[in-house]
């Protein structure tokens, strides 16, 4: 079906919610939680997040998320538990083409919230929501080789493993091999794979 046009920033669609989570734009009140997540050794090991992450880095990401919304090329969210109202992670989606037909998804989870299926739920929410604002034909998740938990997240969300791309990811100046996963809307006839059904 034809997707309605999106205008920014006025008339922006509501951020997604469901699966026991709310996704929303980050703000200055979130800085302490964002820093805690981004300083976690596991997050540092498998992402391009700056080393020795500071509150100033968090402020820069908050500004970047707002700018992405205004340009409609990238969306960044914090995930909030519906019952506790605590921040449980972050998730973002970025268009890799001007026509927004290919989109990359990335995510982090708070160390205190791991093992609760947070990442698959955030990915499911942001993917479903993005299909309503961009004409995406391919979603991608790339995972550095060795990051087995993140591979499981992609698989739980119905992403297909395509193979290893050698020296694909630039992690702070170091090129690393990455496993590429993809999800194509037309392969599933728009019946989205829920994490609890994978």
């Amino acid at each position: 079906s034809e997707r309605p046009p999106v205008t920014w920033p006025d008339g922006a669609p509501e951020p997604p919610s469901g699966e026991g989570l709310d996704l929303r734009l980050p703000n200055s009140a979130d800085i302490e939680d964002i820093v805690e997540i981004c300083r976690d050794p596991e997050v540092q090991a498998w992402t391009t997040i700056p080393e020795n992450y500071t509150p100033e880095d968090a402020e820069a990401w908050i500004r970047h998320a707002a700018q992405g919304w205004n340009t409609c090329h990238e969306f960044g969210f914090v995930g909030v538990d519906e019952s506790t109202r605590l921040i449980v992670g972050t998730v973002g989606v970025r268009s890799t083409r001007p026509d927004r037909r290919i989109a990359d998804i990335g995510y982090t989870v708070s160390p205190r919230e791991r093992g609760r299926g947070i990442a698959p739920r955030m990915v499911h929410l942001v993917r479903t929501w993005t299909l309503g604002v961009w004409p995406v034909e391919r979603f991608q998740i790339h995972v550095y080789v060795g990051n087995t938990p993140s591979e499981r997240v992609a698989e739980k969300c119905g992403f297909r493993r395509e193979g290893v791309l050698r020296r694909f990811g630039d992690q702070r100046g170091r090129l690393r091999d990455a496993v590429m996963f993809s999800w194509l809307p037309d392969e599933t006839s728009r019946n989205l794979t829920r994490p609890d059904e994978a």
Side-chain angles (χ1 to χ4, degrees):
S1 61
E2 189 72 17
R3 293 188 180 87
V6 179
T7 58
W8 304 94
D10 293 333
E14 287 294 316
S17 63
E19 313 283 336
L21 298 174
D22 292 325
L23 301 189
R24 62 165 173 78
L25 273 171
N27 60 56
S28 58
D30 304 324
I31 288 175
E32 184 177 341
D33 291 310
I34 293 169
V35 169
E36 178 188 8
I37 292 170
C38 293
R39 283 182 178 172
D40 178 68
E42 285 295 305
V43 170
Q44 285 285 312
W46 301 114
T47 71
T48 59
I49 288 169
E51 292 180 297
N52 304 312
Y53 198 87
T54 66
E56 290 72 27
D57 290 322
E59 290 174 355
W61 180 68
I62 290 166
R63 289 193 301 271
H64 181 76
Q67 291 165 358
W69 273 67
N70 289 333
T71 61
C72 198
H73 286 292
E74 185 170 1
F75 303 111
F77 301 96
V78 289
V80 180
D81 186 285
E82 283 185 349
S83 58
T84 66
R85 307 313 301 169
L86 295 176
I87 292 177
V88 295
T90 68
V91 64
V93 59
R94 176 176 61 90
S95 61
T96 63
R97 293 167 52 102
D99 59 14
R100 305 184 185 104
R101 289 190 294 163
I102 300 176
D104 285 338
I105 295 177
Y107 41 84
T108 66
V109 176
S110 169
R112 65 175 181 271
E113 301 290 346
R114 292 187 184 132
R116 297 181 49 212
I118 298 293
R121 286 185 278 159
M122 291 194 302
V123 169
H124 175 70
L125 283 174
V126 79
R127 176 180 61 187
T128 305
W129 180 84
T130 303
L131 282 170
V133 295
W134 287 347
V136 181
E137 297 181 24
R138 172 185 169 92
F139 285 93
Q140 299 179 159
I141 294 175
H142 72 266
V143 178
Y144 290 137
V145 169
N147 188 358
T148 304
S150 199
E151 289 192 37
R152 286 199 294 263
V153 170
E155 291 165 349
K156 285 180 180 179
C157 291
F159 281 71
R160 178 181 298 180
R161 180 188 174 110
E162 294 185 332
V164 175
L165 305 182
R166 297 182 298 167
R167 296 182 184 171
F168 175 80
D170 183 349
Q171 186 187 40
R172 310 181 196 102
R174 174 191 174 196
L175 294 181
R176 297 188 62 176
D177 296 351
V179 184
M180 178 62 77
F181 291 86
S182 68
W183 186 91
L184 309 182
D186 54 355
E187 284 188 342
T188 55
S189 300
R190 289 289 162 80
N191 293 322
L192 302 185
T193 305
R194 291 169 54 91
D196 55 1
E197 294 174 348

